[in-house]
Amino acid sequence: VSTAKKFYLSRQRQTLPVTPESKDKPVVLNSNKSLKEYSDYLGPLLIYPVLYYFPVVYKLLGYEYGQDRVIHPVQTCAMYYWCFHYFKRIMETFFVHRFSHATSPIAVVFRSCAYYWTFAAYVVYDVKHPLYTPVSSDLRMKMCFGGGLVGQAVNFYCHILLRNLRDPIGSGGYQIPRGFLFNFITCANYTTEIYQWFNFTFATHTTAARVFLLVAIFIM
Protein backbone atom coordinates (compact mmCIF):
# COMPACT_ATOMS: atom_id res chain seq x y z
CA VAL A 1 0.00 0.00 0.00
CA SER A 2 1.43 3.35 -1.01
CA THR A 3 2.07 5.75 1.85
CA ALA A 4 2.71 8.77 -0.39
CA LYS A 5 0.60 11.80 0.40
CA LYS A 6 -1.99 12.78 -2.15
CA PHE A 7 -2.33 16.43 -3.08
CA TYR A 8 -5.55 17.55 -4.70
CA LEU A 9 -5.38 20.61 -6.95
CA SER A 10 -8.73 21.87 -5.73
CA ARG A 11 -7.43 21.93 -2.15
CA GLN A 12 -4.21 23.83 -2.85
CA ARG A 13 -3.77 27.55 -2.30
CA GLN A 14 -1.15 30.21 -2.94
CA THR A 15 0.17 32.41 -0.14
CA LEU A 16 2.67 35.19 0.30
CA PRO A 17 6.03 33.93 1.67
CA VAL A 18 6.77 34.32 5.39
CA THR A 19 10.06 34.12 7.24
CA PRO A 20 10.83 30.81 9.02
CA GLU A 21 10.86 32.46 12.45
CA SER A 22 7.54 34.22 11.91
CA LYS A 23 4.54 32.95 13.86
CA ASP A 24 2.04 34.81 11.69
CA LYS A 25 -0.18 32.93 9.28
CA PRO A 26 0.67 33.49 5.59
CA VAL A 27 -1.58 35.82 3.61
CA VAL A 28 -3.63 33.81 1.14
CA LEU A 29 -3.74 35.18 -2.38
CA ASN A 30 -7.41 35.51 -3.16
CA SER A 31 -8.34 33.76 -6.40
CA ASN A 32 -11.13 36.29 -6.88
CA LYS A 33 -8.56 39.07 -7.30
CA SER A 34 -6.95 39.62 -10.66
CA LEU A 35 -3.25 39.30 -11.42
CA LYS A 36 -3.27 42.96 -12.39
CA GLU A 37 -4.12 44.02 -8.85
CA TYR A 38 -1.04 42.26 -7.47
CA SER A 39 1.45 43.42 -10.10
CA ASP A 40 0.92 47.01 -11.21
CA TYR A 41 1.20 48.71 -7.80
CA LEU A 42 4.41 46.93 -6.83
CA GLY A 43 6.36 48.56 -9.66
CA PRO A 44 5.87 52.18 -8.54
CA LEU A 45 6.58 51.21 -4.94
CA LEU A 46 10.01 49.84 -5.94
CA ILE A 47 10.99 52.00 -8.91
CA TYR A 48 10.66 55.36 -7.19
CA PRO A 49 12.95 54.72 -4.16
CA VAL A 50 15.49 52.79 -6.26
CA LEU A 51 15.91 55.67 -8.72
CA TYR A 52 15.78 58.15 -5.84
CA TYR A 53 18.65 56.59 -3.90
CA PHE A 54 20.64 55.41 -6.94
CA PRO A 55 20.38 58.27 -9.49
CA VAL A 56 22.81 56.68 -11.94
CA VAL A 57 20.55 57.66 -14.84
CA TYR A 58 21.59 61.31 -14.49
CA LYS A 59 25.27 60.43 -14.74
CA LEU A 60 24.55 58.43 -17.88
CA LEU A 61 22.91 61.53 -19.34
CA GLY A 62 25.95 63.66 -18.53
CA TYR A 63 24.73 65.49 -15.41
CA GLU A 64 26.97 66.01 -12.41
CA TYR A 65 25.42 64.32 -9.40
CA GLY A 66 28.01 64.10 -6.64
CA GLN A 67 27.72 63.42 -2.94
CA ASP A 68 27.61 67.17 -2.27
CA ARG A 69 24.35 67.53 -4.17
CA VAL A 70 21.74 69.31 -2.01
CA ILE A 71 18.59 67.25 -1.47
CA HIS A 72 15.63 69.52 -0.83
CA PRO A 73 13.02 68.50 1.78
CA VAL A 74 10.26 68.49 -0.84
CA GLN A 75 12.14 65.83 -2.82
CA THR A 76 12.39 63.54 0.20
CA CYS A 77 8.79 64.16 1.24
CA ALA A 78 7.63 63.42 -2.30
CA MET A 79 9.40 60.05 -2.21
CA TYR A 80 7.83 59.04 1.11
CA TYR A 81 4.42 60.31 0.00
CA TRP A 82 4.61 58.33 -3.24
CA CYS A 83 5.71 55.11 -1.53
CA PHE A 84 3.07 55.41 1.18
CA HIS A 85 0.36 55.81 -1.46
CA TYR A 86 1.28 52.63 -3.33
CA PHE A 87 1.91 50.67 -0.14
CA LYS A 88 -1.62 51.66 0.89
CA ARG A 89 -2.94 50.48 -2.47
CA ILE A 90 -1.29 47.09 -2.12
CA MET A 91 -2.63 46.64 1.41
CA GLU A 92 -6.11 47.60 0.21
CA THR A 93 -5.83 45.00 -2.54
CA PHE A 94 -5.03 42.29 -0.01
CA PHE A 95 -7.44 43.22 2.75
CA VAL A 96 -10.11 45.62 1.46
CA HIS A 97 -11.06 45.31 -2.20
CA ARG A 98 -13.48 42.68 -3.41
CA PHE A 99 -13.60 41.96 -7.14
CA SER A 100 -16.39 40.49 -9.20
CA HIS A 101 -14.04 38.96 -11.80
CA ALA A 102 -11.42 36.36 -10.94
CA THR A 103 -9.19 37.02 -13.94
CA SER A 104 -7.98 39.92 -16.03
CA PRO A 105 -6.92 39.84 -19.71
CA ILE A 106 -3.15 39.69 -20.06
CA ALA A 107 -3.24 42.76 -22.31
CA VAL A 108 -4.81 44.75 -19.47
CA VAL A 109 -2.07 43.59 -17.11
CA PHE A 110 0.70 44.79 -19.42
CA ARG A 111 -1.05 48.07 -20.18
CA SER A 112 -1.65 48.81 -16.51
CA CYS A 113 1.92 47.93 -15.53
CA ALA A 114 3.29 50.07 -18.37
CA TYR A 115 1.22 53.01 -17.17
CA TYR A 116 2.18 52.84 -13.49
CA TRP A 117 5.79 51.80 -13.93
CA THR A 118 6.57 54.35 -16.66
CA PHE A 119 5.07 57.23 -14.73
CA ALA A 120 6.93 56.18 -11.58
CA ALA A 121 10.23 56.48 -13.46
CA TYR A 122 9.17 59.73 -15.15
CA VAL A 123 8.03 61.42 -11.93
CA VAL A 124 11.08 60.47 -9.86
CA TYR A 125 13.35 61.51 -12.75
CA ASP A 126 11.78 64.96 -12.76
CA VAL A 127 11.55 65.42 -9.00
CA LYS A 128 15.10 64.19 -8.26
CA HIS A 129 16.67 65.93 -11.27
CA PRO A 130 19.99 67.73 -10.53
CA LEU A 131 18.51 70.96 -11.92
CA TYR A 132 15.36 70.73 -9.81
CA THR A 133 14.67 73.84 -7.76
CA PRO A 134 11.69 73.87 -5.38
CA VAL A 135 9.27 76.74 -5.88
CA SER A 136 6.99 75.95 -2.95
CA SER A 137 7.60 77.55 0.42
CA ASP A 138 8.17 75.25 3.37
CA LEU A 139 4.71 76.03 4.72
CA ARG A 140 2.96 75.35 1.41
CA MET A 141 4.88 72.10 0.99
CA LYS A 142 3.73 70.90 4.42
CA MET A 143 0.16 71.97 3.73
CA CYS A 144 0.12 70.14 0.39
CA PHE A 145 1.55 66.88 1.67
CA GLY A 146 -0.53 67.11 4.84
CA GLY A 147 -3.67 67.69 2.80
CA GLY A 148 -2.70 64.82 0.54
CA LEU A 149 -2.37 62.46 3.50
CA VAL A 150 -5.81 63.50 4.69
CA GLY A 151 -7.05 62.72 1.19
CA GLN A 152 -5.48 59.26 1.37
CA ALA A 153 -7.22 58.57 4.68
CA VAL A 154 -10.57 59.73 3.28
CA ASN A 155 -9.97 57.65 0.14
CA PHE A 156 -9.34 54.59 2.32
CA TYR A 157 -12.67 55.08 4.09
CA CYS A 158 -14.43 55.42 0.73
CA HIS A 159 -12.96 52.05 -0.26
CA ILE A 160 -14.27 50.54 2.97
CA LEU A 161 -17.77 51.74 2.08
CA LEU A 162 -17.45 50.26 -1.41
CA ARG A 163 -16.18 46.98 0.04
CA ASN A 164 -19.28 46.64 2.17
CA LEU A 165 -21.44 46.64 -0.96
CA ARG A 166 -20.13 43.18 -1.89
CA ASP A 167 -20.11 39.90 -0.05
CA PRO A 168 -16.80 38.09 0.70
CA ILE A 169 -16.79 36.27 -2.67
CA GLY A 170 -17.13 39.50 -4.63
CA SER A 171 -20.75 39.20 -5.74
CA GLY A 172 -23.54 41.60 -4.99
CA GLY A 173 -24.16 43.25 -8.33
CA TYR A 174 -24.05 46.95 -9.02
CA GLN A 175 -25.17 49.13 -6.13
CA ILE A 176 -25.11 52.87 -5.64
CA PRO A 177 -22.85 53.67 -2.67
CA ARG A 178 -24.33 55.90 -0.01
CA GLY A 179 -23.06 57.64 3.08
CA PHE A 180 -20.16 59.95 3.82
CA LEU A 181 -18.93 61.77 0.68
CA PHE A 182 -21.03 59.53 -1.56
CA ASN A 183 -24.06 61.55 -0.44
CA PHE A 184 -22.57 64.56 -2.23
CA ILE A 185 -20.23 63.11 -4.89
CA THR A 186 -21.02 60.22 -7.22
CA CYS A 187 -17.44 58.90 -7.40
CA ALA A 188 -16.01 60.00 -4.07
CA ASN A 189 -13.22 57.44 -4.30
CA TYR A 190 -11.97 58.91 -7.58
CA THR A 191 -12.42 62.47 -6.35
CA THR A 192 -10.25 61.87 -3.29
CA GLU A 193 -7.70 60.09 -5.50
CA ILE A 194 -7.46 63.15 -7.73
CA TYR A 195 -7.22 65.38 -4.65
CA GLN A 196 -4.21 63.38 -3.43
CA TRP A 197 -2.29 63.85 -6.67
CA PHE A 198 -3.32 67.49 -6.98
CA ASN A 199 -1.57 68.11 -3.67
CA PHE A 200 1.49 66.16 -4.83
CA THR A 201 1.61 68.21 -8.04
CA PHE A 202 1.18 71.51 -6.23
CA ALA A 203 3.96 70.61 -3.77
CA THR A 204 6.54 69.47 -6.34
CA HIS A 205 5.66 71.76 -9.28
CA THR A 206 7.11 69.40 -11.89
CA THR A 207 6.01 68.74 -15.44
CA ALA A 208 5.94 64.99 -14.80
CA ALA A 209 3.55 65.38 -11.87
CA ARG A 210 1.24 67.58 -13.96
CA VAL A 211 1.19 65.08 -16.82
CA PHE A 212 0.58 62.21 -14.42
CA LEU A 213 -2.32 64.09 -12.81
CA LEU A 214 -3.94 64.91 -16.17
CA VAL A 215 -3.61 61.35 -17.46
CA ALA A 216 -4.99 59.97 -14.18
CA ILE A 217 -8.00 62.30 -14.40
CA PHE A 218 -8.60 61.24 -18.00
CA ILE A 219 -8.46 57.54 -17.10
CA MET A 220 -10.68 57.87 -14.05
Side-chain angles (χ1 to χ4, degrees), residues 6-133:
K6 294 183 179 180
F7 296 95
Y8 300 94
L9 182 61
S10 61
R11 300 182 64 182
Q12 306 308 305
R13 65 180 183 178
Q14 292 180 317
T15 63
L16 295 178
V18 294
T19 57
E21 63 274 8
S22 176
K23 297 182 180 180
D24 297 331
K25 294 183 178 180
V27 176
V28 179
L29 297 180
N30 191 336
S31 61
N32 290 321
K33 296 181 179 179
S34 67
L35 173 63
K36 176 180 74 67
E37 300 300 332
Y38 288 112
S39 58
D40 51 7
Y41 299 149
L42 184 61
L45 181 61
L46 298 178
I47 291 173
Y48 200 111
V50 168
L51 294 183
Y52 179 89
Y53 287 110
F54 303 98
V56 65
V57 63
Y58 303 113
K59 296 180 180 179
L60 296 176
L61 294 176
Y63 291 101
E64 293 293 333
Y65 211 100
Q67 296 294 331
D68 57 343
R69 168 67 183 171
V70 176
I71 305 299
H72 301 284
V74 65
Q75 294 174 299
T76 303
C77 290
M79 189 270 294
Y80 285 121
Y81 183 92
W82 180 281
C83 292
F84 176 77
H85 173 81
Y86 284 100
F87 176 78
K88 164 183 166 290
R89 280 197 169 192
I90 292 175
M91 292 299 100
E92 287 177 339
T93 300
F94 287 147
F95 304 111
V96 178
H97 295 319
R98 291 171 177 171
F99 302 100
S100 58
H101 299 288
T103 60
S104 181
I106 192 66
V108 175
V109 176
F110 283 115
R111 184 169 65 246
S112 183
C113 288
Y115 163 71
Y116 284 108
W117 297 14
T118 301
F119 266 112
Y122 181 30
V123 172
V124 67
Y125 171 82
D126 214 1
V127 174
K128 191 67 186 299
H129 199 281
L131 301 181
Y132 175 81
T133 302

Side-chain angles (χ1 to χ4, degrees), residues 100-192:
S100 58
H101 299 288
T103 60
S104 181
I106 192 66
V108 175
V109 176
F110 283 115
R111 184 169 65 246
S112 183
C113 288
Y115 163 71
Y116 284 108
W117 297 14
T118 301
F119 266 112
Y122 181 30
V123 172
V124 67
Y125 171 82
D126 214 1
V127 174
K128 191 67 186 299
H129 199 281
L131 301 181
Y132 175 81
T133 302
V135 296
S136 298
S137 64
D138 186 65
L139 176 60
R140 187 165 71 176
M141 178 197 71
K142 293 178 180 178
M143 290 179 62
C144 288
F145 284 126
L149 290 176
V150 172
Q152 296 207 41
V154 174
N155 179 259
F156 172 76
Y157 184 65
C158 289
H159 287 161
I160 293 293
L161 295 178
L162 293 175
R163 176 184 186 272
N164 294 335
L165 297 179
R166 295 183 181 275
D167 58 31
I169 63 174
S171 62
Y174 177 78
Q175 300 182 53
I176 298 177
R178 303 185 185 280
F180 195 47
L181 293 182
F182 288 105
N183 289 338
F184 310 98
I185 307 171
T186 302
C187 300
N189 53 321
Y190 291 147
T191 302
T192 52

